[in-house]
Amino acid sequence: MARRLALITGASSGIGAAFAREYASRGWDVALVARREDKLTALAGEVEAKHGVSTLVITADLADPGAPQTIVDAVAKAGRQIDALVNNAGAGQPGHFCDTSWDDQARFLELMVTSYLKLMHLTAPGMAERGFGRIINISSVSALVPTAKAHTRYSGTMYPGIKALLIKASEALGAELKDKGVHVTAVAPGYTWSEFHDVNGARETLSNVPGYWMLKAEDVAASGYDAVERGVPLRVPGAFYKFMTGLARILPDPLARAVMARQEKTIEGK
Ligand SMILES: NC(=O)c1ccc[n+]([C@@H]2O[C@H](COP(=O)([O-])OP(=O)(O)OC[C@H]3O[C@@H](n4cnc5c(N)ncnc54)[C@H](OP(=O)(O)O)[C@@H]3O)[C@@H](O)[C@H]2O)c1
């Protein structure tokens, strides 16, 4: 039997590259998607040599509305089908909502929301028909705790709302496909070492946060893989963030906001 294929967006660095390594280490072929071809090609060579799997490298800008169809067509042209989809590509939209152009906001939404939904819409029917599929959507802890200004300053005012949508979308699609062998999981990481904070300019600010707030991309990927295999709808990787999001669920709103205000001071180094 041919090996299964996992398509991973944003595989050129951080959490996406870690998912590619995780899937390859478990014997899956991987299709790697991002804009930087050199990084994807290097990762493809690495996992082929280390795990003996096959790879596809697909360069695409997911802020382009045509990208999801082009990606799925490229996989079909290679004679493969997508058995697992890891929707992970992303970047912040720094700056105040009111000060950024709608064109910038629209590209942000295309990358962070529409491309995720389109890729699910293009791949989930085939998974359901074949009776097997795995879908992971990378959300964020920011979707599960009160919103602090420090969280949105670099990622974007709409970032927590976008990531919250991915949790509900995963839960709903997972329920719809429950009896078809398709598992859908939202993975909500907290602060994770990656290029994300270099791209959005938050690297220096993040140096204020305690070490135990920082997750490793490989731990996020291992936790996400485990969750989707178990059919868990939402996974928050790491003990600290499990505790923090659990607390946010049980505390009365004003108290939860007060805790976040305290955290905001830590992030700002005050
Ligand atoms: N790091 C954190 O603290 C954290 C916390 C919670 C959630 N997340 C989420 O985790 C996901 C991955 O982020 P990361 O932390 O691994 O950051 P990262 O290291 O910056 O990786 C982002 C990936 O997305 C790709 N990407 C960005 N814009 C793209 C575009 N227009 N088209 C195609 N690919 C694009 C980048 O590749 P190219 O530049 O080569 O295109 C890169 O591979 C994001 O959805 C982010 O919101 C991150």
Side-chain angles (χ1 to χ4, degrees):
M1 193 179 97
R3 273 189 300 266
R4 296 194 192 277
L5 178 76
L7 182 127
I8 299 142
T9 70
S12 62
S13 81
I15 295 169
F19 265 106
R21 293 189 176 100
E22 180 69 31
Y23 270 92
S25 77
R26 291 172 182 274
W28 290 63
D29 291 339
V30 287
L32 310 175
V33 180
R35 291 167 302 180
R36 288 172 294 174
E37 191 171 10
D38 55 334
K39 297 251 179 196
L40 297 179
T41 306
L43 179 59
E46 175 198 316
V47 298
E48 279 174 16
K50 198 162 173 193
H51 304 294
V53 299
S54 302
T55 62
L56 289 173
V57 166
I58 304 168
T59 50
D61 182 346
L62 283 156
D64 168 359
Q69 186 68 60
T70 307
I71 291 164
V72 170
D73 289 349
V75 173
K77 204 168 162 208
R80 301 299 304 266
Q81 63 199 22
I82 297 166
D83 303 299
L85 166 67
V86 182
N87 268 326
N88 160 82
Q93 174 62 62
H96 295 295
F97 184 70
C98 301
D99 298 340
T100 46
S101 70
W102 181 250
D103 278 358
D104 284 347
Q105 291 293 335
R107 279 181 68 77
F108 184 50
L109 290 172
E110 192 71 42
L111 169 65
M112 304 296 277
V113 183
T114 313
S115 79
Y116 281 49
L117 303 185
K118 266 193 206 167
L119 279 169
M120 286 199 282
H121 194 252
L122 287 167
T123 57
M127 292 178 186
E129 207 177 294
R130 296 189 296 274
F132 180 92
R134 302 287 184 258
I135 298 175
I136 293 175
N137 291 308
I138 303 300
S139 174
S140 162
V141 155
S142 66
L144 296 166
V145 297
T147 301
K149 236 178 14 198
H151 293 157
T152 59
R153 181 144 60 96
Y154 297 107
S155 319
T157 313
M158 295 302 144
Y159 186 87
I162 285 167
K163 292 301 195 182
L165 179 148
L166 293 176
I167 292 177
K168 297 310 279 183
S170 304
E171 199 178 17
L173 186 64
E176 193 173 302
L177 298 179
K178 193 171 183 287
D179 303 325
K180 308 272 186 190
V182 182
H183 299 179
V184 186
T185 295
V187 176
Y191 291 121
T192 306
W193 294 114
S194 72
E195 292 179 13
F196 191 78
H197 304 107
D198 299 317
V199 175
N200 71 10
R203 173 68 56 215
E204 204 184 318
T205 306
L206 263 198
S207 62
N208 298 321
V209 309
Y212 63 87
W213 285 25
M214 298 305 298
L215 299 171
K216 287 189 190 140
E218 55 266 36
D219 294 340
V220 172
S223 179
Y225 183 91
D226 172 72
V228 80
E229 284 306 310
R230 289 172 192 268
V232 176
L234 171 64
R235 171 64 59 85
V236 178
F240 169 65
Y241 288 108
K242 279 189 179 66
F243 171 74
M244 194 214 256
T245 53
L247 197 64
R249 260 200 301 274
I250 57 170
L251 284 182
D253 249 21
L255 206 52
R257 287 185 197 288
V259 173
M260 284 317 294
R262 179 69 218 108
Q263 271 212 343
E264 184 157 15
K265 286 196 171 139
T266 308
I267 297 166
E268 300 288 4
K270 290 177 190 158

